[in-house]
Amino acid sequence: MSLVVTLSPASRVLAGNPVRLDVSADSETTFQLAVAGTTVYQGSGFGTYFVYLQDLILPYLKPQVLYSDDENLLIPVSGVAKACTVTVTDGTDTRTLSFTAYPGGLSRSVLRALHESNPFTARFLSPTGNIFFSLRGRGQHLFMRETELVPLVFIYPPSGSLSITAAGKSMSLSGIASQLYALNLERVRRTIYDDYGILAPTFDLMLSGQKVITLSITPSFLSHDRYLIRYLSSLGTYDILECTGLMRRSLDESDEMTYSVFDKTVDGYVSERRRKPQRLVLKVSSGLMDEDRLLLFLDMLSSQDVTLLGYRGQDIRVIPSTDGLNVPHNGPDPFAISIDLRAADEDSHLSIDDVTEQLGSGSLHTSQFTSQFI
């Protein structure tokens, strides 16, 4: 039997999903996995066997935070996707498979529905559909609140040219085929406003004259309290969610750290204690939402990287949770959920910057808004 090596999926993989290497040979074989030209793992096996590679690749993939204040309509996204190779040899024959790995993953239900289809062909490289690494929207329509505009990451189509149209105006989006870019929707909107005086709410992304997807910017709710939460989504990109409910603050205090000290004056023991660490806990309301928006909040609650933006002038890493989820299923009315944001840091020391007013109010973060929304 000759050496047979296969990789599933082939060509492009999501490191949050199974990446299976299958090897079949008559003798012992060795395999070597390299990420971005650096060998990260070596192993061996005999006969027919398989190995899952995703956990070996994932630590080398670093998602990037992208900002809408970038001047480019298309922002090149470098260093996120990694070129990988697997080399298998039995001492006589050698097989080398090359593929590109991306952070993030799809749900198990989607993977089962795709069966053996490559998710990139079905989802991210589809000529008509949501090609973005985003959970927003359904089918050929994606919605974003005006306060939640973030660059949308996608793979530039292998063939054809992209353009975006709004209010009868069209702009070309030039890029290199199969490379990662982010569509800076806020810059697109500002450019159309500066050039034509039109504040467009809807945009059509076109591929060689054919519509790929419609992107709609929806207004935010009027609210006295407004908070923005940035999180790493299931698909390996950062997204922002706006909470428009009242925030309450509390402290999660550690247990008393006391110990006994002998006091020779009284010939007895007295209690002392070390400074007690405190952890800030913020309880916020999500604001009204529907089923589609609930999916985004559920994704945020599962995220390993969540940051509350602009709280008293600072960005604070937090661990989100909710006291049970009890919402109507497919109900006609919008609903809200309560979320606890526990600061990732606990501290037993305070500084003046933590309490002075120079850091600003923790209620309305206007620094996160573009000028036309202030």
Side-chain angles (χ1 to χ4, degrees):
M1 180 190 301
S2 60
L3 177 62
V4 178
V5 181
T6 59
L7 185 74
S8 179
S11 182
R12 294 183 175 91
V13 305
L14 287 169
N17 293 138
V19 181
R20 177 167 164 157
L21 174 70
D22 285 272
V23 180
S24 181
D26 290 328
S27 59
E28 183 180 17
T29 55
T30 61
F31 65 91
Q32 175 179 288
L33 171 66
V35 178
T38 301
T39 299
V40 299
Y41 189 81
Q42 292 179 323
S44 62
F46 189 89
T48 299
Y49 63 93
F50 62 88
V51 181
Y52 285 104
L53 304 178
Q54 65 272 12
D55 291 338
L56 303 173
I57 300 170
L58 193 57
Y60 300 92
L61 303 180
K62 305 298 182 184
Q64 290 182 9
V65 178
L66 303 172
Y67 298 95
S68 294
D69 57 3
D70 194 291
E71 295 183 358
N72 295 313
L73 302 182
L74 279 188
I75 304 172
V77 182
S78 59
V80 174
K82 299 291 186 180
C84 304
T85 58
V86 176
T87 303
V88 183
T89 181
D90 61 3
T92 303
D93 294 333
T94 299
R95 301 286 186 271
T96 299
L97 302 179
S98 300
F99 60 97
T100 303
Y102 301 81
L106 298 172
S107 68
R108 291 181 176 182
S109 60
V110 169
L111 290 179
R112 291 190 180 101
L114 292 174
H115 193 42
E116 296 182 356
S117 300
N118 190 312
F120 281 87
T121 304
R123 172 72 158 79
F124 303 111
L125 296 175
S126 172
T128 55
N130 187 355
I131 63 173
F132 298 107
F133 287 74
S134 172
L135 295 181
R136 295 177 180 269
R138 289 179 180 268
Q140 285 186 276
H141 209 153
L142 184 150
F143 298 90
M144 298 182 74
R145 286 189 184 180
E146 59 191 6
T147 48
E148 298 175 345
L149 295 180
V150 295
L152 296 167
V153 177
F154 69 101
I155 301 171
Y156 202 93
S159 61
S161 58
L162 286 177
S163 62
I164 192 165
T165 63
K169 311 300 180 182
S170 180
M171 290 182 292
S172 176
L173 301 174
S174 300
I176 301 174
S178 300
Q179 296 299 306
L180 272 184
Y181 290 89
L183 176 63
N184 192 350
L185 194 57
E186 182 170 326
R187 178 58 58 179
V188 171
R189 192 186 197 196
R190 185 182 295 277
T191 300
I192 292 177
Y193 180 79
D194 291 343
D195 292 348
Y196 305 105
I198 301 171
L199 192 61
T202 303
F203 307 82
D204 287 332
L205 184 65
M206 312 292 290
L207 176 60
S208 299
Q210 182 180 5
K211 186 176 78 170
V212 177
I213 190 171
T214 297
L215 304 104
S216 295
I217 299 176
T218 61
S220 178
F221 290 105
L222 182 64
S223 177
H224 177 271
D225 294 280
R226 192 183 309 276
Y227 304 92
L228 299 179
I229 299 173
R230 183 181 67 212
Y231 68 99
L232 182 60
S233 74
S234 292
L235 292 175
T237 57
Y238 284 92
D239 205 340
I240 287 179
L241 283 174
E242 175 193 53
C243 295
T244 55
L246 180 66
M247 173 182 284
R248 297 186 181 277
R249 289 179 289 177
S250 62
L251 289 177
D252 183 5
E253 298 182 318
S254 300
D255 295 335
E256 292 286 352
M257 303 174 67
T258 60
Y259 57 96
S260 297
V261 175
F262 182 76
D263 187 346
K264 62 182 179 181
T265 304
V266 297
D267 189 23
Y269 287 91
V270 295
S271 293
E272 297 284 353
R273 77 167 185 173
R274 298 180 179 89
R275 288 189 63 88
K276 184 164 53 174
Q278 298 175 340
R279 189 188 304 272
L280 179 67
V281 180
L282 303 169
K283 184 178 288 289
V284 300
S285 173
S286 64
L288 295 177
M289 67 172 81
D290 56 13
E291 289 280 342
D292 288 343
R293 189 167 177 80
L294 175 62
L295 175 63
L296 303 179
F297 274 88
L298 293 177
D299 193 33
M300 182 270 292
L301 289 168
S302 298
S303 178
Q304 71 273 39
D305 187 357
V306 183
T307 302
L308 177 63
L309 300 179
Y311 178 75
R312 294 188 176 274
Q314 299 178 346
D315 296 342
I316 303 175
R317 285 202 62 183
V318 295
I319 300 173
S321 62
T322 183
D323 296 331
L325 189 66
N326 185 12
V327 298
H329 178 65
N330 292 329
D333 299 323
F335 52 86
I337 61 174
S338 179
I339 300 171
D340 288 340
L341 302 174
R342 298 167 56 88
D345 287 333
E346 66 174 9
D347 206 337
S348 58
H349 297 83
L350 297 177
S351 62
I352 191 170
D353 286 346
D354 295 324
V355 294
T356 55
E357 294 182 357
Q358 66 182 2
L359 293 178
S361 167
S363 296
L364 184 61
H365 311 303
T366 54
S367 64
Q368 303 297 331
F369 291 68
T370 54
S371 57
Q372 65 262 40
F373 300 133
I374 297 178

